[in-house]
Each structure stands twice: as C-alpha cells, then as structure tokens.
Amino acid sequence: MKLGCCFYPEHWPEDMWAGDARRMADMGLSLVRIGEFAWSRLEPEPGQYDWDWLDRAIVTLGDAGLQVILGTPTATPPKWLVDQMPDMVAVDADGKPRKFGSRRHYCFSHRGYREECRRIVNAMAKRYGDNPAVTAWQTDNEYGCHETTVSYSDAAAEAFRVWLAQKYSNVDALNKAWGNVFWSMEYRDFSEIEPPNLTVTEPNPSHVLDYRRFASDEVRSFNQLQVDILREHAPGRDIIHNFMGFVTDFDHHDVGADIDIASWDSYPLGFLEQYWFGVEEKNAYARQGHPDIAAFHHDLYRGCCKDGRWAVMEQQPGPVNWARWNPIPLPGMVKLWTLEAAAHGAEFCSYFRWRQAPFAQEQMHAGLYRPDNVIAPGGEEAAQAAKDLAALGLSDHSDQAPVALVFSYEADWLFQTQPQGHDFRYIELAFEMYSALRQLGLNVDIVSPEADLSGYKMVVVPSLPILTAELVAKIAGLDVPVLFGPRSGSKTADLQIPPELPPGPLQDVLPVKIARVASMRPDMPGNPSRWSEEVEASLGGDAMLEDPQATVFKRNNISYLSAWPTADLLETVFRNMGEDADLTLKAMPPGLRIRQHEGHIFAFNYGSLDCDLQQAFPALQEDQMLVGSVNLQAAGTAVWKV
Ligand code: GAL
C-alpha cells in the first residue's frame, strides 16, 4: 500500500513547494493529490486559463519522485460562473437556492453547468492527460457531501420528467405504479409532475423513491461525463472518486462500476460524533473512533469497483474542524488507521492534508504539518506507518472473505422514504450486523445485491425490501447459512405491499408471513425492540430461535429475523450460522478487532486500556510479532504471521 497526502500548492508561496515535496518523499509518501478545488486559479476570468502555476507545481512534485493524482475542480465553480448562470445552484427541500460561498453549490441536473464541467475537464485533460507525473485522476470531490445529491431545482424537475417518461412510457403506468388514485393525485401528462417537496403533508412515497433513484442516476451521469473525457485524453491513468463516510444518497455501486478505484475519505472521530451512536459509545471511542467505522467503509468500498480496487483518499491526521466536538486522536491512532487500511487491501492511503491552513473554513483542521511548518504528531505517525509497511512488504490484493454482507443503497432510500418508525435506519442496521460479525473475528466483504455470491460460506442480508424471486433463488441456492433481516421482501419495486404480504417471494423458501409490524419509542418501559413483526408461521418442526424481543425463523439454510436485533441476539445468531458454516470464530475482547490479510493477522486495539492478545490467541508469543507486542497498548497495532 502506498502512502500519500492532499496538497494545495495554490495555498502556499511557491518557494515552499520544493521543500514540501522533498519532505513528503522523505516521510515515505509517494502520492500527492492536488487541484480539486482550484478552479478560480485555473480560470480566473471566463475562458482565460492560467496553467503555469499548475505546470510548475506538477514538475516540482514529480521531480521529487511523487506521483500526482489530479482532481477535476468541479466541486467548486467560481463566482463568475455562478453569476453567469444563477440557476445552476442546487435547491434544497424547502425550495431555497444554495448560495455561493463554500462549495458543492451546483445542481447535478443543470445542463449548462454540465457543459461548463465538460469544458474545464476537457481543457485540463488535454493539458495533463499524458503528463508522466500525473498517474491518476480524481473526478470532482465527494459527490453528495453536504447533502447535495438531491436538488429540487427547475433543472432537476425537467430532467426528472424525462427520466419518468423513459421509465414508464405512458403516464397511466406511472399513476398505477404510484397508486395516484389515492388523494386524487393522478396526472394526465408527464409534464404535470413536480419534484416531491413542499407538499402539505407527506408526499406519495413511490414518487419520493423514484425521485431518489433519479437523483442517484444524475450523479452517475454527471460523473460519466468526466470519465469519458479522461478516458479519451488520459489513457492508462486510473480514474478515482473519493466517496464519503455514511453517505448513501446515491448508488455507489453504480458510480463505482464506471471508475477504476473507489476511494473514500476516512474521518473516524468526526463520523462517530456526527452519526447515530449512543453517548456511551461516543465517550468510549471519542479519541479512537468506533472500532468498526473505518473497517465498514473499507469493506464497503472494496465491493464497489471491479477487481475490488479501492483506497483511502483522505485520512484524518489529527483533530478535524467540522464535527460538533473535535477531540485529538489518541497517540497511535493515525498509524493504526493507516495499517488498518493496509489490512483491508487498500491500494493507497493518503492523508488530508499535508499542512494545516491558517486561513478560511478549515484552519482548525490538522495536517501532517502545522501551519508554522513544524511536523505535527500525525506526521510523525505517518512516517512510522511508512516504515512498518515497508517492512511488512504486503501487496494490495484482498482475498475473498468467508462472509458476505449484502448492502443496497436503494434499500436505504426506501427506508428513509417510509421509515414507519423514527429510528428505522437501514445503514445502522447494516452497521450493527457488520460489527457483530467482526466481534466474532470474521473478515467480511460488503457486496451489492447483484454481486456474485458464490464462494461465500455465510451470507447476511441486513434487509432487502425489494426482493425478486430470482434473487431469492440465487441466494437460497447457495446452500450456505443465509440470514435475512427485518422488512426483507416487504415492498414491490413500486413501493407497494406485495400481494402475498411480506416477506414477498422469500415465502418460496421460508413459509412465514408478516401480518403486522410495530415500531416503538426507544424510551418506553421494558426496552421494546424499535421494530418488531407479528409473524404467521407454518414451519412444521423447523428450527426456531426465540429471544424475548425477536424470533428467528429458519428452514434449511435460510433464516429470517423478525425484529431489530439486540447485540446479544446477533451474537447468538451469527455464532450458530458460523458454526454451521465451519468458520473459526473468536470472541473479541472489547475494542479489539482483527483482520486476516495475506497470511498475516492484524490486530487493532480501539480500546483505551491495554489488551492482552493471548486472551484471543493463547499460543501467540512475543518473538512472533512483526509490529507491536502481545500486550497491545491502547490505540496500538500488532501484526504477526498466521
Ligand atoms: C472532506 C473533504 C475535504 C476536507 C475534509 C476535512 O470531506 O473532501 O476537502 O473538507 O473533508 O475533513
């Protein structure tokens, strides 16, 4: 795995560049990403390009032996461009245009803006496409970040109508699919249809789900426009996009299919603080990040591109600026996160950013260097990680894991559209199942519902509301233990209740029928499950696992979980499945996670206390340790050969 950093030559006097480049190389970095926000410097006036500074920056970095990942600057259209076409900005659900003054202020559907993107990307690709120092390209920056996937602009409305006409051919088919007879919502023509915002009460959920699908397709075609140009003018260069953590607003499997490397931006402390985790977990892992956040995304994005190519484009190097609270990582965490990326088979891990900026929005965000150009603790740890990686000498290949967890972006949109219980969060359910598998010491691949599942020894489907008979047959035919989570098979593709009731076609292999469902407030006495289902079962003697809150129904290799599970229930279910599948299971002490990779075991101590690895690996001896020691300190990493 290579190491790199994100660098902004336009932020610093030119006489610093050569020294920066030399110190990057000395630190053990071999990649540098530049350019992704530099539009106002590349084209200060409409049509007047200024490439000279970027030419010199690329030469300076290349001369130091660094490979450049060049970003297209389309996440930050300059002021003159927004003034030229004020309707290019995205419009939020309240109908308010999103203003200039930060970034990502464009609507994916604006055809005029797409033309401007075509122009600037074309100009850049022609100039640097065959530059030997530029070995890869990043398209835009973090599609969807700052809630920018779904826009309610006029441009989006117009594109949505075209999308609908293509999907339904005639408006009667749409009326039927959406059930528009309800509340007199029938349309006479596609031209009458608006985006589903600003309605008096809840809009039609089928309308909303189609809008989410449309918005996702818009991201894909926006990206494809750039990919086509780069393929033409930058042959042989990898095309990469940097995805975000816990952002599910567009289908990353779709965008991943069009690029070469799915990279993501890893900020474990910020993500722990900003997302659904409880106070206890936030406190326990405030300075480490939840032990499964980074790993979950590594495994998710490894499943997004062909050949499993993935990387970390931005790695948190110290405190960030954008979460509600921004602690300093425990000493050791920057190195731990780096080696964890290697343990999951990343091609590279690049830190954000080289030097902390003393100005503008991110002046409180750490870099590998401080603003006074003194190395920061994160920089010291990056140098240490580079040495460890060089000594380990691993390739970036990742073997197929024994367990597949099936992840669907569409499922996430569907449950956001119709949660039925305030806290029915698909991503959280998927994360909890992933975490429970990892607590048993298992390697996990997170894959799309379309993925080839052959070769897996166990399959976990946290929930798949839209199930086809073909998909059920494909999964059931695997003949390995499979678990379907609650609400699987609960909707048709049009977001209607299936005629045979949930779990729809799953009933072909497991005769259960969901008669009613209940969602409950989390603070109700007696700790009810946030989601539970009344099941009519006619299994006739097949195994069942009863828990006070949920029942697991099982026939042959297929199980169905009829509630939001507790951690204990998940442990039991996965242990049973793992034993049926002959997997080696190891209960992890709190905060410890392992991953097997290329004949090595990596252990990561996310706990705040030392951890004796012999608890889980009784035969392990100190002289086997390639990195770390048997008594693994808090925030420590250990590696040994299997
Ligand atoms: C990322 C983004 C970077 C920077 C970073 C700060 O989401 O891609 O440009 O803003 O966050 O943590």
Side-chain angles (χ1 to χ4, degrees), residues 75 103-104 108 138-146 148 241-245 250 264-267 271 314:
R103 63 178 171 184
R104 301 214 53 76
F108 282 99
Q138 176 186 295
T139 53
D140 200 280
N141 190 79
E142 289 186 343
Y143 292 135
C145 185
H146 316 306
T148 51
H241 181 71
N242 57 333
F243 297 119
M244 267 294 275
F250 62 93
W264 79 286
D265 297 343
S266 175
Y267 295 94
F271 295 145
E314 299 181 11

Side-chain angles (χ1 to χ4, degrees), residues 449-617:
E450 278 81 46
D452 177 8
L453 294 170
S454 55
Y456 288 106
K457 298 202 165 66
M458 171 170 161
V459 175
V460 173
V461 184
S463 183
L464 209 45
I466 302 173
L467 268 181
T468 59
E470 295 73 46
L471 190 58
V472 168
K474 170 176 116 172
I475 296 178
L478 292 170
D479 211 22
V480 300
V482 179
L483 177 79
F484 284 92
R487 301 185 82 176
S488 290
S490 61
K491 298 290 163 179
T492 66
D494 295 324
L495 211 169
Q496 300 193 7
I497 296 171
E500 69 276 42
L501 295 191
L506 192 57
Q507 295 175 56
D508 297 348
V509 292
L510 183 65
V512 295
K513 204 179 275 299
I514 312 304
R516 294 197 297 179
V517 298
S519 60
M520 306 286 244
R521 297 179 64 88
D523 51 2
M524 275 184 70
N527 290 324
S529 174
R530 69 175 85 175
W531 182 267
S532 61
E533 301 178 346
E534 280 181 13
V535 182
E536 290 173 359
S538 53
L539 285 172
D542 272 312
M544 275 189 194
L545 198 148
E546 299 260 17
D547 178 87
Q549 293 189 341
T551 305
V552 180
F553 297 89
K554 181 167 181 277
R555 168 163 284 183
N556 302 325
N557 60 322
I558 308 291
S559 303
Y560 180 82
L561 170 66
S562 66
W564 190 285
T566 59
D568 286 348
L569 178 65
L570 278 184
E571 214 232 289
T572 311
V573 173
F574 290 155
R575 192 173 275 289
N576 290 346
M577 291 171 71
E579 282 165 4
D580 285 350
D582 278 335
L583 297 177
T584 308
L585 306 172
K586 273 190 186 303
M588 291 292 112
L592 187 72
R593 292 294 185 271
I594 57 165
R595 192 163 200 281
Q596 298 211 29
H597 176 61
E598 293 220 316
H600 293 74
I601 297 181
F602 286 68
F604 305 102
N605 184 5
Y606 275 86
S608 44
L609 300 173
D610 290 4
C611 173
D612 179 2
L613 290 175
Q614 283 171 335
Q615 283 177 60
F617 300 92

Side-chain angles (χ1 to χ4, degrees), residues 137 139 220 223 227 231 238-243 251-264 297-311 345 347-348 396 398 409 445-448 451-452 456:
W137 289 74
T139 53
R220 185 179 196 175
N223 182 67
V227 169
R231 295 252 183 255
D238 284 324
I239 301 179
I240 313 176
H241 181 71
N242 57 333
F243 297 119
D251 194 321
H252 294 50
H253 293 127
D254 281 350
V255 175
D258 300 333
I259 58 178
D260 300 308
I261 303 177
S263 76
W264 79 286
H297 291 93
H298 294 341
D299 292 341
L300 175 67
Y301 293 127
R302 198 178 56 249
C304 280
C305 268
K306 52 185 174 307
D307 309 324
R309 297 187 66 190
W310 74 281
E347 287 196 23
F348 62 83
D396 47 32
S398 184
Y409 286 91
D445 286 347
I446 303 181
V447 299
S448 94
D452 177 8
Y456 288 106

